[in-house]
């Protein structure tokens, strides 16, 4: 091969890689946004809903309008009895989960790209060009910080920190009171990754988060040092798109166990203290997992919902009655597993056998983010910006 031919081959590879990245990052802002991967049309029509013989009583307690999400996922977050929400246009709100009363409302001076993070005392959101805002318990803006990178994931707030991750694989620990940077963690970029929100959570004295390439890790909140990193799954295939293998959603922590799932990879549980694998099995989820004391819940790319035994990964049940309805991330609540779909329906599935035990209608727009629980109320946010409070009996 001549030098010219080799250079042309390298150039073609770079172009194809950039095209692949554009397909992921441009045509679809991530599976969590409720669109099909790589801009391809869904060839499968959504399953038509059948009437539900409800065995669980659910009532709508309240609704509030915060504003549309646009192309981003604006996931609500709960702290105690309160829930915090945001919109693309810069609205940030605190709502009493029991009554639906607006506790405070703020407005940022740029459009937002992430949902909020909050510990009840400090609430943080991220906007265009990596601007991070923090508000106190009364809704007053206390600082504004530029992190020089796009932020799609909701900040994680707690332990005196606002932890922010950018799409170029940096994680920053900011002082919750001043916004000053305490530490930064940087990792090498993968050739291709999902341009989507990737959740983080506090667990013990660590910060658990997923990374591109199927990795799960724990950072020390005091200095950002990586304590351990372990593979949930490994890339497969020949092309970069086939090898796309990112942890999706927020890792689920219960006791000394942390579980996660990847796109085009596996679902797995690991030992929280050191990342030692406990079990894993082939699985592909665009939205992540939820768990209770006995089971792990996730939906696959076809929107079939599964329950797995937390201890060994054995399948407990699956429900395919919602296939191709582009389900959002699940939430475990009482005797139910709750998921929203592309058409604004909220489905309550029995945790025992997966049967649909109740269904509620919202405004008809997609519910991409996981519902959250504020006090006794289940809270969901639609992409058209309506926030609903439901109370199961």
């Amino acid at each position: 091969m001549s030098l010219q031919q080799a250079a042309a081959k390298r150039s073609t590879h770079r172009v194809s890689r950039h095209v692949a990245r554009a397909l992921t990052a441009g045509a679809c802002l991530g599976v969590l946004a409720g669109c099909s991967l790589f801009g391809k049309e869904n060839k499968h029509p959504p399953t038509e809903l059948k009437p539900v013989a409800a065995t669980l009583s659910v009532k709508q307690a309240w609704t509030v309008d915060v504003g549309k999400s646009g192309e981003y996922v604006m996931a609500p977050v709960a702290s105690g009895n309160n829930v915090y929400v945001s919109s693309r246009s810069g609205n940030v709100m605190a709502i009493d989960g029991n009554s639906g009363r607006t506790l405070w409302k703020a407005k940022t001076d740029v459009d937002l790209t992430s949902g909020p993070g909050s510990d009840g005392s400090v609430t943080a959101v991220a906007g265009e060009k990596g601007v991070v805002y923090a508000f106190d318990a009364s809704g007053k803006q206390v600082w504004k910080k530029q992190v020089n990178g796009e932020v799609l994931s909701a900040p994680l707030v707690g332990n005196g920190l606002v932890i922010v991750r950018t799409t170029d694989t940096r994680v920053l620990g900011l002082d919750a009171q001043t916004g000053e940077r305490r530490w930064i963690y940087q990792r090498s970029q993968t050739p291709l990754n999902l341009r989507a929100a990737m959740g983080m959570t506090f667990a013990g004295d660590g910060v658990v988060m997923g990374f591109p390439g199927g990795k799960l890790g724990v950072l020390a909140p005091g200095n950002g040092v990586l304590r351990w990193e372990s593979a949930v799954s490994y890339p497969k295939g020949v092309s970069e798109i086939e090898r796309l293998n990112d942890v999706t959603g927020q890792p689920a922590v219960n006791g000394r166990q942390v579980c996660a799932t990847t796109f085009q990879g596996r679902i797995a549980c690991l030992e929280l203290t050191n990342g030692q694998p406990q079990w894993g099995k082939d699985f592909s989820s665009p939205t992540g997992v939820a768990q209770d004391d006995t089971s792990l819940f996730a939906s696959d790319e076809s929107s079939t919902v599964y329950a797995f035994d937390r201890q060994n990964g054995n399948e407990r049940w699956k429900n395919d009655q919602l296939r191709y309805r582009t389900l959002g991330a699940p939430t475990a609540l009482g005797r139910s597993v709750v998921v929203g779909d592309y058409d604004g329906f909220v489905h309550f599935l029995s945790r025992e056998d997966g049967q649909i035990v109740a269904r509620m209608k919202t405004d008809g727009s997609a519910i991409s983010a996981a519902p959250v629980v504020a006090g006794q109320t289940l809270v969901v946010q639609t992409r058209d910006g309506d926030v609903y409070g439901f109370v199961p009996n």
Side-chain angles (χ1 to χ4, degrees):
M1 180 184 294
S2 68
L3 291 177
Q4 292 84 355
Q5 288 173 322
K9 184 176 181 179
R10 287 194 299 271
S11 176
T12 301
H13 175 72
R14 285 195 298 271
V15 170
S16 64
R17 182 168 63 185
H18 293 161
V19 168
R21 182 177 289 111
L23 285 171
T24 305
C28 178
L29 287 174
V31 286
L32 298 185
C35 52
S36 58
L37 281 171
F38 315 126
K40 294 180 180 179
E41 292 183 2
N42 189 349
K43 297 179 180 179
H44 304 279
T47 299
E48 291 188 10
L49 297 178
K50 297 179 180 179
V52 174
T55 57
L56 175 69
S57 175
V58 182
K59 70 174 183 178
Q60 180 183 317
W62 51 262
T63 183
V64 174
D65 180 17
V66 64
K68 294 185 178 183
S69 299
E71 65 268 40
Y72 300 99
V73 174
M74 298 293 171
V77 63
S79 179
N81 290 326
N82 298 338
V83 63
Y84 302 84
V85 293
S86 61
S87 72
R88 175 75 171 103
S89 61
N91 294 325
V92 186
M93 296 174 62
I95 302 168
D96 182 293
N98 293 321
S99 66
R101 179 172 62 93
T102 298
L103 302 174
W104 56 259
K105 183 175 181 179
K107 179 80 170 178
T108 60
D109 53 9
V110 301
D111 287 347
L112 298 180
T113 58
S114 87
S118 182
D119 64 356
S121 298
V122 175
T123 300
V125 291
E128 291 183 338
K129 300 182 179 179
V131 181
V132 181
Y133 300 83
F135 305 88
D136 66 16
S138 68
K140 177 184 176 182
Q141 182 179 313
V142 290
W143 54 261
K144 174 181 174 182
K145 180 76 173 182
Q146 183 93 38
V147 297
N148 297 319
E150 184 182 45
V151 179
L152 300 180
S153 303
L156 179 64
V157 182
N159 297 330
L161 292 170
V162 172
I163 300 176
V164 178
R165 63 188 302 170
T166 63
T167 55
D168 61 1
T169 71
R170 289 177 299 129
V171 183
L172 300 93
L174 309 179
D175 187 282
Q177 300 303 316
T178 66
E180 293 303 311
R181 193 178 81 188
R182 290 190 184 176
W183 50 260
I184 183 170
Y185 171 73
Q186 174 79 61
R187 61 189 292 118
S188 58
Q189 289 185 277
T190 56
L192 186 66
N193 59 275
L194 293 174
R195 186 170 177 263
M198 300 181 72
M200 306 175 282
T201 187
F202 288 112
D205 61 348
V207 182
V208 185
M209 63 185 68
F211 298 113
K215 301 295 180 64
L216 193 69
V218 172
L219 300 184
N223 54 18
V225 170
L226 181 67
R227 287 183 174 161
W228 61 256
E229 179 182 286
S230 187
V232 176
S233 61
Y234 295 94
K236 300 177 182 178
V238 178
S239 71
E240 289 179 355
I241 289 180
E242 289 174 331
R243 294 174 62 80
L244 185 61
N245 176 46
D246 292 359
V247 173
T248 55
Q250 180 170 300
V253 177
N254 190 314
R256 295 181 56 181
Q257 185 183 61
V258 56
C259 303
T261 188
T262 62
F263 175 69
Q264 299 187 146
R266 302 173 85 210
I267 187 168
C269 289
L270 304 86
E271 168 65 43
L272 179 61
T273 57
N274 56 20
Q276 183 68 29
Q278 296 178 345
W279 62 264
K281 61 196 312 176
D282 289 345
F283 196 75
S284 179
S285 173
T287 57
V289 298
Q291 73 173 355
D292 61 16
D293 289 338
T294 61
S295 301
L296 191 66
F297 308 100
S299 60
D300 65 12
E301 293 173 63
S302 72
S303 291
T304 298
V305 185
Y306 290 81
F308 301 98
D309 188 293
R310 254 191 60 206
Q311 300 305 316
N312 53 31
N314 290 339
E315 183 181 309
R316 289 181 178 271
W317 54 256
K318 71 176 182 179
N319 184 314
D320 61 3
Q321 295 175 316
L322 304 173
R323 282 170 63 85
Y324 306 113
R325 295 192 64 84
T326 317
L327 299 182
T331 293
L333 171 66
R335 296 179 288 117
S336 304
V337 180
V338 187
V339 290
D341 72 13
Y342 81 101
D343 205 22
F345 285 99
V346 184
H347 307 275
F348 295 75
L349 282 65
S350 166
R351 290 201 301 184
E352 298 302 318
D353 58 15
Q355 294 302 305
I356 299 175
V357 293
R359 178 182 298 137
M360 300 297 288
K361 176 70 174 172
T362 62
D363 61 14
S365 64
I367 301 170
S368 303
V372 298
V373 181
Q376 302 300 313
T377 306
L378 178 81
V379 180
V380 300
Q381 181 175 347
T382 72
R383 297 192 65 79
D384 275 354
D386 290 318
V387 185
Y388 289 81
F390 296 109
V391 180
N393 296 320

